[in-house]
Amino acid sequence: MPTPVIIDCDPGHDDAMALLLALASPELELAAVTTVAGNQTIEKVTANAVRVLDIAGADAIPVAAGADRPLVHPARVASEVHGETGLDGPELLPPSREPEPVHAVELMARLLRERPLTLVAVGPLTNVALLLALHPWAADRIERIVLMGGAIAEGNVTPAAEFNIWCDAEAAQRVFSSGIDVAMVGLDVTHRARLTPQRAEGLRASGRAGAFVADLHAFYSRFHATIYGDAATPVHDALAVASLIRPALLHLEPLHAEVDTSLGLCRGRTVVDRWRRTGLEPNSQVAVDVDGDGFIDLLCSRIASLGERRVSPSARA
Ligand code: RIB
Ligand code: CA
């Protein structure tokens, strides 16, 4: 039986690839897509989420917009990484439909009342924290939260912090302290599982989704070439999705993680007790190793398989 999931995201180049990977994978059933302000504004990331579903002809999957800013502090977009649209690179057609007329948190609650689900959170954790605050009962209906975020020993938005956690440190701490089965897929592993321009370009001939990913990567790799000196890019969010499709890709360890919610130098850092120095009980499963080649092979083969997928009639070719 496929694992039913909700993907909460802020598309975003790697969010888009994560959505396409999920849509191409029979191991998962994508029950809904919810969006959260992060890489770009809530309006832009929501339109982008619909556009990505259009690419794969997935016009029956509900999309609902969520928080337009973090719980406490102002929003900050990542235009330098994802551009003004949030998906710079490919030609972007108008989204084929409007999002559901319901807040993301209410859509999550409605679906969780019907059946237990796995949440894959690949943007700031604002929506997930709001869900737990507004619907405490939902914690017992969430099978697992697989989140792309944090790091044991890396930072990308600051030297100390990863973007998703840094954006909404308070929301992240709410999630790590929730008692729910949380898997943290952080920079320590995503940076060791990178998509080269050659592999991305090799997807172009596979069909519309492959060409879309090739164009996304051509833009996305510029930031990484500038900052890291290497045009091979992590596909952070897709690795979180891949860990549900093929769990053996990641080695997870039960560890205690806490988020620095101060306003100091290390705001947004996930302080992971890697060697159990605190004696605190583990509260999450933290990814400490990855089969990077296996992930990229899975990602590329699944994206290529979408090439044959019918294009949504409403997404004009
Ligand atoms: O730090 C990487 C994360 O921040 C990814 O989810 C990317 O999409 C951005 O949201
Ligand atoms: Ca993201």
Side-chain angles (χ1 to χ4, degrees), residues 1-7 19 21-33 60-62 111 114-120 241 244-245 302:
M1 286 297 283
T3 302
V5 302
I6 293 174
I7 295 181
L19 289 170
L21 174 60
L23 290 164
S25 300
E27 299 87 347
L28 304 179
E29 176 203 341
L30 185 52
V33 174
I61 295 175
L111 295 175
E114 294 169 5
R115 58 176 167 164
L117 293 163
T118 295
L119 295 189
V120 183
V241 169
L244 284 169
I245 297 165
R302 296 290 168 94

Side-chain angles (χ1 to χ4, degrees), residues 217-235:
H217 193 269
F219 177 87
Y220 186 52
S221 63
R222 291 179 206 163
F223 169 80
H224 292 83
T226 305
I227 301 296
Y228 300 101
D230 185 345
T233 69
V235 195

Side-chain angles (χ1 to χ4, degrees), residues 77-183:
V77 297
S79 304
E80 73 280 8
V81 184
H82 301 278
E84 280 311 307
T85 68
L87 283 182
D88 279 20
E91 178 204 0
L92 297 178
L93 291 175
S96 65
R97 55 187 160 113
E98 288 299 312
E100 302 296 308
V102 64
H103 192 282
V105 171
E106 294 316 310
L107 179 61
M108 286 173 170
R110 182 187 305 171
L111 295 175
L112 284 163
R113 281 192 193 94
E114 294 169 5
R115 58 176 167 164
L117 293 163
T118 295
L119 295 189
V120 183
V122 295
L125 291 162
T126 318
N127 287 342
V128 181
L130 287 170
L131 172 69
L132 298 177
L134 290 168
H135 301 282
W137 55 266
D140 295 331
R141 301 284 283 176
I142 297 170
E143 294 279 6
R144 193 178 205 205
I145 297 175
V146 180
L147 67 89
M148 190 281 135
I152 300 170
E154 284 258 0
N156 60 1
V157 66
T158 73
E162 177 280 325
F163 181 79
N164 286 340
I165 307 298
W166 176 87
C167 270
D168 200 335
E170 289 75 15
Q173 179 53 26
R174 182 73 178 72
V175 172
F176 277 107
S177 61
S178 67
I180 297 169
D181 177 5
V182 169

